[in-house]
Amino acid sequence: MGRAPCCEKQGLKKGPWSPEEDEILVEYINKSGHGSWRSLPKLAGLLRCGKSCRLRWTNYLRPDIKRGPFTPEEEKTIIQLHGILGNRWSSIALQLPGRTDNEIKNFWNTHLKKRLVRMGLDPTTHAPPSPSSTGGGTSGGGGGGAAAVTTSSTPSTRHMAQWESARLEAEARLSRESLLFFSSQSSDPTAPKHESDYFLRMWNSDVGDSFRKIPTKAAELEESTVSPASSSTAMATTAATTTASTITSERGASEAAHPETDSSSSNEMDESSESSLQLLLDFPADDMGFFQGQVGNFPLFSNELTVSSSIKYE
DNA sequence: AAGTACCTCAACCGCATTGGG
DNA sequence: GCCCAATGCGGTTGAGGTACT
């Protein structure tokens, strides 16, 4: 195929940016905007490719970038969002104003990932490693451990399945209760009438968008790893139950006391218990408040519901 | 003090996606 | 609908700094 390189390599500088280059770039963008990144270097008089300029601007020079160490709240947000979104750093960054996807990615890889590993959690899925896989194969970084989880699903598809499950459940409920729902809506159109409402909202938000855009290739892969009899929805429910448990604070704790939920995943969750979930369970419910008013044009979660609403479907 | 190992993070690379012609 | 350029995104690299021996 041979896509042409993003820029002609000859004569273009690579590596760290000098203060002078930074100054030129900032001055030019402040004056003229970045416009076409490809043509920017030439117009600004920089010996860099447009891609490099864009990266430098978005990751370092942008005026709204927040510097300095991550706060505990930001850490929690990242961990929780990673539990939901996986390695969708740009989506995670949307919830952390002033932080770049690159910064979050680096912080995750150098700090948070290790912390989860120390807690006995799979940093990819946030689930405790399955007993069969704990013996050998978690060496090496990267995605090596991804296959260790419950089904053969990949992290991204498990996250997608989680979303899909919540969405389907919400839609089913709403269709069942549509008359009641719409009649009662007149009193307060903005107030969620049902917990599943939040998922529909989130699904229709920017965050949900990122899932709808997951390439079908991933879904096909998912299908191919599941027996024909098991629909993707059924799989999704299982995955959602498992994964959502790990990312839910209140629910995670109550789940241990209510083993009547999905038996296929309950074993894992039982084994995880408090110790392996400690980090996630420690989060107060209103830590998910970052969703409120920040996704789309509406609040997504009320304080009393938070994410715990995500699992109460059977 | 010197050498080595480890850590951090800015920057690069290449694939995926988007959008215009 | 197809092609291609532009842009976005996530994984990876490597230089520089720090800690340890």
Side-chain angles (χ1 to χ4, degrees):
Chain A
M1 221 90 89
R3 173 180 291 279
C6 71
C7 53
E8 46 278 70
K9 305 274 180 182
Q10 310 99 323
L12 292 183
K13 196 177 166 196
K14 287 169 67 175
W17 281 63
S18 68
E20 292 76 23
E21 289 176 308
D22 284 346
E23 197 180 335
I24 292 171
L25 182 59
V26 169
E27 203 172 309
Y28 179 84
I29 291 180
N30 284 341
K31 201 167 61 184
S32 317
H34 61 72
S36 162
W37 285 112
R38 196 173 171 86
S39 56
L40 183 147
K42 196 176 281 184
L43 295 172
L46 286 164
L47 289 174
R48 296 273 182 174
C49 77
K51 205 170 183 174
S52 179
C53 293
R54 181 176 62 82
L55 224 55
R56 183 63 178 171
W57 173 257
T58 56
N59 286 340
Y60 198 81
L61 297 175
R62 240 173 43 198
D64 57 329
I65 284 184
K66 186 174 168 184
R67 307 237 133 249
F70 283 80
T71 66
E73 286 71 30
E74 286 175 319
E75 293 181 17
K76 290 175 184 176
T77 300
I78 293 169
I79 293 172
Q80 289 181 323
L81 279 174
H82 188 273
I84 300 171
L85 298 167
N87 291 0
R88 300 177 158 272
W89 307 117
S90 59
S91 299
I92 294 173
L94 285 176
Q95 305 300 328
L96 293 165
R99 300 296 189 182
T100 70
D101 53 356
N102 204 36
E103 194 178 12
I104 293 169
K105 179 173 60 181
N106 283 332
F107 186 63
W108 173 266
N109 286 329
T110 57
H111 293 96
L112 300 180
K113 193 165 147 185
K114 291 173 186 171
R115 194 183 302 173
L116 258 65
V117 168
R118 276 201 304 272
M119 313 247 349
L121 297 173
D122 184 330
T124 311
T125 63
H126 295 227
S130 65
S132 59
S133 66
T134 46
T138 54
S139 66
V149 199
T150 64
T151 69
S152 56
S153 55
T154 63
S156 66
T157 52
R158 292 183 71 239
H159 288 122
M160 184 171 65
Q162 177 184 342
W163 273 95
E164 181 65 11
S165 173
R167 184 181 66 84
L168 289 171
E169 185 271 345
E171 287 181 346
R173 256 190 231 275
L174 282 184
S175 65
R176 231 187 298 134
E177 304 168 358
S178 56
L179 280 177
L180 186 63
F181 175 79
F182 285 114
S183 63
S184 63
Q185 200 174 25
S186 57
S187 60
D188 182 5
T190 61
K193 296 298 178 294
H194 192 281
E195 54 196 34
S196 54
D197 220 11
Y198 296 110
F199 279 94
L200 284 182
R201 290 182 174 203
M202 185 130 56
W203 181 257
N204 290 321
S205 72
D206 293 343
V207 176
D209 249 2
S210 66
F211 282 89
R212 291 193 291 275
K213 288 173 184 168
I214 287 179
T216 54
K217 206 192 304 178
E220 288 165 7
L221 183 74
E222 187 67 43
E223 291 286 354
S224 71
T225 62
V226 179
S227 72
S230 59
S231 68
S232 59
T233 305
M235 217 291 298
T237 307
T238 302
T241 309
T242 304
T243 308
S245 299
T246 67
I247 61 167
T248 305
S249 52
E250 294 172 338
R251 194 267 181 177
S254 66
E255 188 67 15
H258 297 88
E260 67 271 16
T261 52
D262 186 355
S263 60
S264 66
S265 60
S266 62
N267 285 344
E268 287 176 28
M269 295 318 300
D270 288 345
E271 286 166 11
S272 70
S273 69
E274 289 99 1
S275 63
S276 58
L277 290 173
Q278 179 184 333
L279 179 65
L280 296 169
L281 296 183
D282 278 344
F283 296 164
D286 53 6
D287 272 340
M288 291 306 279
F290 54 79
F291 278 123
Q292 296 177 23
Q294 294 191 35
V295 179
N297 298 321
F298 38 73
L300 286 165
F301 288 92
S302 62
N303 281 338
E304 67 268 24
L305 283 174
T306 70
V307 244
S308 63
S309 63
S310 66
I311 348 283
K312 292 197 182 147
Y313 42 81
E314 312 182 3

